[in-house]
PDB file of all heavy atoms in Angstrom:
ATOM      1  N   LEU B   7       0.932  12.645   3.928  1.00  0.00           N
ATOM      2  CA  LEU B   7       0.469  11.911   5.095  1.00  0.00           C
ATOM      3  C   LEU B   7       1.668  11.453   5.911  1.00  0.00           C
ATOM      4  O   LEU B   7       1.735  11.615   7.127  1.00  0.00           O
ATOM      5  CB  LEU B   7      -0.293  10.688   4.584  1.00  0.00           C
ATOM      6  CG  LEU B   7      -1.330  10.095   5.538  1.00  0.00           C
ATOM      7  CD1 LEU B   7      -2.412  11.137   5.811  1.00  0.00           C
ATOM      8  CD2 LEU B   7      -1.953   8.849   4.906  1.00  0.00           C
ATOM      9  N   ARG B   8       2.617  10.865   5.222  1.00  0.00           N
ATOM     10  CA  ARG B   8       3.771  10.280   5.864  1.00  0.00           C
ATOM     11  C   ARG B   8       4.595  11.324   6.593  1.00  0.00           C
ATOM     12  O   ARG B   8       4.965  11.141   7.747  1.00  0.00           O
ATOM     13  CB  ARG B   8       4.651   9.611   4.797  1.00  0.00           C
ATOM     14  CG  ARG B   8       5.801   8.810   5.350  1.00  0.00           C
ATOM     15  CD  ARG B   8       5.267   7.523   5.937  1.00  0.00           C
ATOM     16  NE  ARG B   8       6.149   6.953   6.929  1.00  0.00           N
ATOM     17  CZ  ARG B   8       7.225   6.245   6.680  1.00  0.00           C
ATOM     18  NH1 ARG B   8       7.570   5.968   5.460  1.00  0.00           N
ATOM     19  NH2 ARG B   8       7.960   5.772   7.669  1.00  0.00           N
ATOM     20  N   ARG B   9       4.855  12.373   5.907  1.00  0.00           N
ATOM     21  CA  ARG B   9       5.721  13.386   6.479  1.00  0.00           C
ATOM     22  C   ARG B   9       5.174  13.926   7.777  1.00  0.00           C
ATOM     23  O   ARG B   9       5.871  14.013   8.768  1.00  0.00           O
ATOM     24  CB  ARG B   9       5.896  14.531   5.477  1.00  0.00           C
ATOM     25  CG  ARG B   9       7.301  14.631   4.947  1.00  0.00           C
ATOM     26  CD  ARG B   9       7.400  15.744   3.969  1.00  0.00           C
ATOM     27  NE  ARG B   9       6.943  15.309   2.645  1.00  0.00           N
ATOM     28  CZ  ARG B   9       6.071  15.941   1.897  1.00  0.00           C
ATOM     29  NH1 ARG B   9       5.496  17.054   2.339  1.00  0.00           N
ATOM     30  NH2 ARG B   9       5.742  15.484   0.712  1.00  0.00           N
ATOM     31  N   SER B  10       3.888  14.211   7.780  1.00  0.00           N
ATOM     32  CA  SER B  10       3.330  14.801   8.978  1.00  0.00           C
ATOM     33  C   SER B  10       3.350  13.790  10.124  1.00  0.00           C
ATOM     34  O   SER B  10       3.678  14.135  11.254  1.00  0.00           O
ATOM     35  CB  SER B  10       1.899  15.295   8.714  1.00  0.00           C
ATOM     36  OG  SER B  10       1.128  14.235   8.177  1.00  0.00           O
ATOM     37  N   SER B  11       3.068  12.549   9.853  1.00  0.00           N
ATOM     38  CA  SER B  11       2.990  11.583  10.945  1.00  0.00           C
ATOM     39  C   SER B  11       4.369  11.301  11.558  1.00  0.00           C
ATOM     40  O   SER B  11       4.501  11.044  12.736  1.00  0.00           O
ATOM     41  CB  SER B  11       2.341  10.278  10.478  1.00  0.00           C
ATOM     42  OG  SER B  11       3.229   9.583   9.625  1.00  0.00           O
ATOM     43  N   SER B  12       5.404  11.351  10.763  1.00  0.00           N
ATOM     44  CA  SER B  12       6.712  11.019  11.305  1.00  0.00           C
ATOM     45  C   SER B  12       7.498  12.256  11.736  1.00  0.00           C
ATOM     46  O   SER B  12       8.525  12.152  12.383  1.00  0.00           O
ATOM     47  CB  SER B  12       7.535  10.258  10.262  1.00  0.00           C
ATOM     48  OG  SER B  12       7.862  11.139   9.210  1.00  0.00           O
ATOM     49  N   GLY B  13       7.017  13.390  11.317  1.00  0.00           N
ATOM     50  CA  GLY B  13       7.714  14.610  11.698  1.00  0.00           C
ATOM     51  C   GLY B  13       9.018  14.833  10.949  1.00  0.00           C
ATOM     52  O   GLY B  13       9.828  15.668  11.313  1.00  0.00           O
ATOM     53  N   ARG B  14       9.255  14.029   9.905  1.00  0.00           N
ATOM     54  CA  ARG B  14      10.505  14.222   9.158  1.00  0.00           C
ATOM     55  C   ARG B  14      10.426  15.452   8.282  1.00  0.00           C
ATOM     56  O   ARG B  14       9.347  15.824   7.825  1.00  0.00           O
ATOM     57  CB  ARG B  14      10.779  12.991   8.273  1.00  0.00           C
ATOM     58  CG  ARG B  14      11.114  11.767   9.093  1.00  0.00           C
ATOM     59  CD  ARG B  14      11.258  10.594   8.184  1.00  0.00           C
ATOM     60  NE  ARG B  14      10.127  10.548   7.235  1.00  0.00           N
ATOM     61  CZ  ARG B  14       9.761   9.482   6.603  1.00  0.00           C
ATOM     62  NH1 ARG B  14      10.407   8.339   6.766  1.00  0.00           N
ATOM     63  NH2 ARG B  14       8.751   9.511   5.763  1.00  0.00           N
ATOM     64  N   MET B  15      11.558  16.011   7.984  1.00  0.00           N
ATOM     65  CA  MET B  15      11.585  17.155   7.098  1.00  0.00           C
ATOM     66  C   MET B  15      11.425  16.681   5.653  1.00  0.00           C
ATOM     67  O   MET B  15      11.975  15.660   5.260  1.00  0.00           O
ATOM     68  CB  MET B  15      12.913  17.902   7.215  1.00  0.00           C
ATOM     69  CG  MET B  15      13.121  18.571   8.558  1.00  0.00           C
ATOM     70  SD  MET B  15      11.862  19.827   8.876  1.00  0.00           S
ATOM     71  CE  MET B  15      12.343  21.060   7.640  1.00  0.00           C
ATOM     72  N   THR B  16      10.732  17.427   4.877  1.00  0.00           N
ATOM     73  CA  THR B  16      10.528  17.096   3.475  1.00  0.00           C
ATOM     74  C   THR B  16      11.862  16.946   2.743  1.00  0.00           C
ATOM     75  O   THR B  16      12.029  16.085   1.902  1.00  0.00           O
ATOM     76  CB  THR B  16       9.724  18.210   2.779  1.00  0.00           C
ATOM     77  OG1 THR B  16       8.618  18.509   3.613  1.00  0.00           O
ATOM     78  CG2 THR B  16       9.256  17.780   1.411  1.00  0.00           C
ATOM     79  N   GLY B  17      12.803  17.810   3.097  1.00  0.00           N
ATOM     80  CA  GLY B  17      14.047  17.857   2.338  1.00  0.00           C
ATOM     81  C   GLY B  17      15.073  16.811   2.727  1.00  0.00           C
ATOM     82  O   GLY B  17      16.155  16.785   2.152  1.00  0.00           O
ATOM     83  N   ASP B  18      14.777  15.940   3.695  1.00  0.00           N
ATOM     84  CA  ASP B  18      15.749  14.910   4.068  1.00  0.00           C
ATOM     85  C   ASP B  18      16.028  13.963   2.912  1.00  0.00           C
ATOM     86  O   ASP B  18      15.111  13.574   2.187  1.00  0.00           O
ATOM     87  CB  ASP B  18      15.220  14.063   5.234  1.00  0.00           C
ATOM     88  CG  ASP B  18      15.367  14.784   6.564  1.00  0.00           C
ATOM     89  OD1 ASP B  18      16.008  15.844   6.589  1.00  0.00           O
ATOM     90  OD2 ASP B  18      14.821  14.265   7.557  1.00  0.00           O
ATOM     91  N   PHE B  19      17.278  13.566   2.792  1.00  0.00           N
ATOM     92  CA  PHE B  19      17.605  12.563   1.783  1.00  0.00           C
ATOM     93  C   PHE B  19      17.265  11.172   2.303  1.00  0.00           C
ATOM     94  O   PHE B  19      17.252  10.923   3.505  1.00  0.00           O
ATOM     95  CB  PHE B  19      19.097  12.640   1.442  1.00  0.00           C
ATOM     96  CG  PHE B  19      19.394  13.746   0.474  1.00  0.00           C
ATOM     97  CD1 PHE B  19      19.761  15.008   0.933  1.00  0.00           C
ATOM     98  CD2 PHE B  19      19.274  13.538  -0.894  1.00  0.00           C
ATOM     99  CE1 PHE B  19      20.005  16.041   0.034  1.00  0.00           C
ATOM    100  CE2 PHE B  19      19.530  14.570  -1.787  1.00  0.00           C
ATOM    101  CZ  PHE B  19      19.894  15.815  -1.321  1.00  0.00           C
ATOM    102  N   TYR B  20      17.007  10.281   1.391  1.00  0.00           N
ATOM    103  CA  TYR B  20      16.756   8.893   1.789  1.00  0.00           C
ATOM    104  C   TYR B  20      18.034   8.230   2.280  1.00  0.00           C
ATOM    105  O   TYR B  20      19.131   8.509   1.774  1.00  0.00           O
ATOM    106  CB  TYR B  20      16.220   8.083   0.605  1.00  0.00           C
ATOM    107  CG  TYR B  20      14.725   8.185   0.462  1.00  0.00           C
ATOM    108  CD1 TYR B  20      14.153   9.115  -0.400  1.00  0.00           C
ATOM    109  CD2 TYR B  20      13.883   7.366   1.204  1.00  0.00           C
ATOM    110  CE1 TYR B  20      12.777   9.230  -0.523  1.00  0.00           C
ATOM    111  CE2 TYR B  20      12.500   7.464   1.079  1.00  0.00           C
ATOM    112  CZ  TYR B  20      11.958   8.399   0.219  1.00  0.00           C
ATOM    113  OH  TYR B  20      10.600   8.503   0.106  1.00  0.00           O
ATOM    114  N   THR B  21      17.882   7.342   3.241  1.00  0.00           N
ATOM    115  CA  THR B  21      18.977   6.492   3.690  1.00  0.00           C
ATOM    116  C   THR B  21      18.768   5.106   3.097  1.00  0.00           C
ATOM    117  O   THR B  21      17.661   4.581   3.106  1.00  0.00           O
ATOM    118  CB  THR B  21      18.972   6.390   5.231  1.00  0.00           C
ATOM    119  OG1 THR B  21      19.280   7.674   5.760  1.00  0.00           O
ATOM    120  CG2 THR B  21      19.996   5.379   5.713  1.00  0.00           C
ATOM    121  N   ILE B  22      19.840   4.540   2.545  1.00  0.00           N
ATOM    122  CA  ILE B  22      19.791   3.153   2.081  1.00  0.00           C
ATOM    123  C   ILE B  22      20.390   2.296   3.190  1.00  0.00           C
ATOM    124  O   ILE B  22      21.501   2.582   3.661  1.00  0.00           O
ATOM    125  CB  ILE B  22      20.602   2.965   0.780  1.00  0.00           C
ATOM    126  CG1 ILE B  22      20.105   3.892  -0.336  1.00  0.00           C
ATOM    127  CG2 ILE B  22      20.628   1.507   0.351  1.00  0.00           C
ATOM    128  CD1 ILE B  22      18.984   3.387  -1.167  1.00  0.00           C
ATOM    129  N   ALA B  23      19.662   1.292   3.606  1.00  0.00           N
ATOM    130  CA  ALA B  23      20.107   0.476   4.730  1.00  0.00           C
ATOM    131  C   ALA B  23      20.166  -0.997   4.351  1.00  0.00           C
ATOM    132  O   ALA B  23      19.377  -1.460   3.526  1.00  0.00           O
ATOM    133  CB  ALA B  23      19.158   0.648   5.912  1.00  0.00           C
ATOM    134  N   THR B  24      21.109  -1.705   4.941  1.00  0.00           N
ATOM    135  CA  THR B  24      21.117  -3.160   4.802  1.00  0.00           C
ATOM    136  C   THR B  24      21.900  -3.776   5.950  1.00  0.00           C
ATOM    137  O   THR B  24      22.513  -3.063   6.748  1.00  0.00           O
ATOM    138  CB  THR B  24      21.656  -3.606   3.426  1.00  0.00           C
ATOM    139  OG1 THR B  24      21.247  -4.964   3.197  1.00  0.00           O
ATOM    140  CG2 THR B  24      23.175  -3.517   3.346  1.00  0.00           C
ATOM    141  N   LEU B  25      21.831  -5.083   6.025  1.00  0.00           N
ATOM    142  CA  LEU B  25      22.499  -5.844   7.076  1.00  0.00           C
ATOM    143  C   LEU B  25      23.975  -6.012   6.711  1.00  0.00           C
ATOM    144  O   LEU B  25      24.298  -6.315   5.559  1.00  0.00           O
ATOM    145  CB  LEU B  25      21.829  -7.223   7.128  1.00  0.00           C
ATOM    146  CG  LEU B  25      21.534  -7.875   8.469  1.00  0.00           C
ATOM    147  CD1 LEU B  25      20.824  -6.932   9.417  1.00  0.00           C
ATOM    148  CD2 LEU B  25      20.672  -9.124   8.249  1.00  0.00           C
ATOM    149  N   GLY B  26      24.866  -5.881   7.685  1.00  0.00           N
ATOM    150  CA  GLY B  26      26.305  -5.911   7.430  1.00  0.00           C
ATOM    151  C   GLY B  26      26.843  -7.294   7.145  1.00  0.00           C
ATOM    152  O   GLY B  26      27.472  -7.926   7.992  1.00  0.00           O
ATOM    153  N   SER B  27      26.655  -7.734   5.901  1.00  0.00           N
ATOM    154  CA  SER B  27      27.124  -9.053   5.474  1.00  0.00           C
ATOM    155  C   SER B  27      26.892  -9.176   3.973  1.00  0.00           C
ATOM    156  O   SER B  27      26.353  -8.255   3.351  1.00  0.00           O
ATOM    157  CB  SER B  27      26.334 -10.151   6.215  1.00  0.00           C
ATOM    158  OG  SER B  27      26.923 -11.417   5.996  1.00  0.00           O
ATOM    159  N   HIS B  28      27.341 -10.276   3.376  1.00  0.00           N
ATOM    160  CA  HIS B  28      26.963 -10.690   2.019  1.00  0.00           C
ATOM    161  C   HIS B  28      27.455  -9.784   0.888  1.00  0.00           C
ATOM    162  O   HIS B  28      28.406 -10.111   0.194  1.00  0.00           O
ATOM    163  CB  HIS B  28      25.439 -10.839   1.957  1.00  0.00           C
ATOM    164  CG  HIS B  28      24.951 -11.526   0.714  1.00  0.00           C
ATOM    165  ND1 HIS B  28      24.735 -10.843  -0.463  1.00  0.00           N
ATOM    166  CD2 HIS B  28      24.652 -12.812   0.464  1.00  0.00           C
ATOM    167  CE1 HIS B  28      24.310 -11.693  -1.390  1.00  0.00           C
ATOM    168  NE2 HIS B  28      24.265 -12.894  -0.855  1.00  0.00           N
TER     169      HIS B  28
END
Side-chain angles (χ1 to χ4, degrees):
Chain B
L7 204 62
R8 187 74 203 280
R9 247 179 277 130
S10 54
S11 71
S12 69
R14 292 175 313 201
M15 293 298 291
T16 313
D18 282 352
F19 279 93
Y20 274 95
T21 293
I22 303 273
T24 198
L25 221 49
S27 190
H28 192 275

